[in-house]
Amino acid sequence: MQTQHTHKLLTTDCRFCSLVSKGNGEDPIGTAGNCDHWLIIEIPQPWSQEIYEENPTLSSLMGLFEELIFKHGVKLKPMLIAPDREYSHPGLTRVLYYYRPAKLFSQFEKHEFLVPESEAAALVTAIFKQLMQEPNDLSQFQQYQQETSHIRELMVCTHAQVDLTCGRFGTPIYRRLRKEYAPVSHGKLRVWQTSHFGGHQFAPTLVDLPQGCLWGHLEADVLDLLVNRNGSVSGLRQYYRGWTGLSKFEQIVEREIWMQSGWNWLDYLKAGKVLAIEEVAEGQDANWAEICINYVAPDSSTSGVYEARVEACGEVMSALNSAKEMELEVVKQYRVSRLVKNQSI
């Protein structure tokens, strides 16, 4: 395996892990995480590092959440959003619940609720119970459901209490999106500040829902391309962390397909599978994987499968957290060494 020689930033001269990651050329692809559900709750700031334990509403849900994840194996991503002067309503709590609608899909299905603050925990409990296939009273909350399936939600991490880099670099990106893009969207785009959802070293980092794509190392001059999709997809290659409907190596392949296919690819229904992967010790990263991505056009006119091989192509040094003196860690980098398209009509 060829090792990439990267410029090593002196961590004593840098307080922010994202500057180290970016300066050393870390590719963010494959870091989006994989989930089948998103549960997003509106909670006023400030958010401490231990907000889930300290906030009464959230702490009352932690036991059930852990049961859902560890006992039932449900892949659910929790997140907080800060109330917005325009979007939010005093005395009411917004809960956004997204779920994977089918094996092959292109975006998550959305349910949005505006409930009295005192009912927020009960609503989330009902959602969790439903996911556990246990008796629940979710039907009682239909009166609070909002029709917002047409609204795209851009969510930027500004959670400085977890890592300084998210506040330092996430906040300006959030403000620009909120001020310049949301107001001219005719109600089709909302922009939110969120709690930490993983990957400080890629700040500013963003979740794009209902698509479920994650972005990192964002810069102001690529926001127009990200929001309006009005240019070549290649301009976003280095910022793409991946689509959360797929796992790590599947995300790496999916980016290559997107680069070849263009914007229309995002609307294709798709699912991934790891066909084979190098066996390594626990905690180690594999050097190769064989992947397939099944796809169907939105109008069902074409379908097929991509087969690919992903291989490690080098290493970079990265810092996973911000600190006065950061510890650098070796992070493998990957490339798609083979990509074959098998199409059926």
Side-chain angles (χ1 to χ4, degrees), residues 77-297:
K77 184 74 173 175
M79 206 158 65
L80 309 180
I81 53 174
D84 181 278
R85 204 180 322 180
E86 179 183 343
Y87 309 148
S88 303
H89 302 268
L92 299 179
T93 295
R94 175 176 277 103
V95 175
L96 299 169
Y97 169 55
Y98 292 87
Y99 63 93
R100 180 189 190 118
K103 182 180 179 182
L104 272 76
F105 74 115
S106 64
Q107 63 181 37
F108 292 84
E109 291 289 330
K110 175 187 185 184
H111 289 304
E112 178 172 339
F113 301 86
L114 272 177
V115 298
E117 289 175 4
S118 60
E119 295 292 310
L123 168 60
V124 175
T125 296
I127 293 172
F128 286 174
K129 290 284 189 181
Q130 184 183 59
L131 291 177
M132 294 177 188
Q133 297 182 332
E134 295 181 2
N136 62 79
D137 57 359
L138 188 56
S139 61
Q140 296 182 17
F141 293 93
Q142 286 183 348
Q143 59 181 313
Y144 302 117
Q145 199 161 336
Q146 310 295 304
E147 179 42 61
T148 61
S149 57
H150 64 288
I151 299 180
R152 182 182 180 189
E153 317 281 1
L154 295 184
M155 303 186 171
V156 183
C157 180
T158 60
H159 200 173
Q161 287 80 359
V162 171
D163 196 288
L164 289 171
T165 193
C166 297
R168 171 66 178 83
F169 300 109
T171 302
I173 291 292
Y174 157 73
R175 288 176 176 167
R176 184 155 185 169
L177 286 167
R178 181 67 182 85
K179 182 179 179 181
E180 297 183 16
Y181 292 90
V184 297
S185 70
H186 305 290
K188 295 180 180 178
L189 172 69
R190 293 188 296 203
V191 180
W192 302 91
Q193 297 185 75
T194 77
S195 61
H196 181 60
F197 49 79
H200 325 280
Q201 71 270 35
F202 303 116
T205 187
L206 176 152
V207 181
D208 188 348
L209 287 165
Q211 203 95 57
C213 296
L214 261 66
W215 305 90
H217 287 159
L218 284 173
E219 298 173 354
D221 60 3
V222 300
L223 295 182
D224 203 55
L225 182 57
L226 189 152
V227 175
N228 296 318
R229 301 176 177 177
N230 55 0
S232 171
V233 296
S234 62
L236 289 173
R237 179 188 178 90
Q238 71 194 78
Y239 308 102
Y240 192 38
R241 292 183 60 186
W243 181 53
T244 53
L246 300 171
S247 62
K248 174 181 175 177
F249 289 105
E250 295 163 0
Q251 290 174 8
I252 295 170
V253 173
E254 194 261 349
R255 181 178 68 175
E256 293 305 311
I257 301 170
W258 179 43
M259 289 295 111
Q260 293 183 15
S261 305
W263 290 110
N264 288 341
W265 170 254
L266 296 183
D267 295 323
Y268 274 58
L269 311 182
K270 43 200 175 278
K273 185 177 181 180
V274 178
L275 301 175
I277 191 168
E278 181 190 28
E279 291 188 19
V280 294
E282 188 176 351
Q284 300 296 308
D285 294 316
N287 285 306
W288 61 266
E290 298 281 346
I291 302 296
C292 73
I293 306 287
N294 290 281
Y295 67 90
V296 178

Side-chain angles (χ1 to χ4, degrees), residues 257 260-261 265 268 293 295 302-308 338-345:
I257 301 170
Q260 293 183 15
S261 305
W265 170 254
Y268 274 58
I293 306 287
Y295 67 90
T302 61
S303 64
V305 60
Y306 283 90
E307 296 181 0
R338 177 176 56 86
L339 181 63
V340 179
K341 180 182 183 181
N342 300 310
Q343 183 172 323
S344 58
I345 300 177

Side-chain angles (χ1 to χ4, degrees), residues 28-42:
I29 191 60
T31 67
N34 175 222
C35 64
D36 295 325
H37 309 268
W38 296 81
L39 198 285
I40 303 165
I41 309 174
E42 193 174 34

Side-chain angles (χ1 to χ4, degrees), residues 41 43-44 46 48 50-63 80 117-118 120-122 124-125:
I41 309 174
I43 298 288
S48 71
E50 290 80 31
I51 181 64
Y52 286 94
E53 290 77 27
E54 294 177 357
N55 179 278
T57 298
L58 300 176
S59 62
S60 70
L61 297 165
M62 287 307 295
L80 309 180
E117 289 175 4
S118 60
V124 175
T125 296

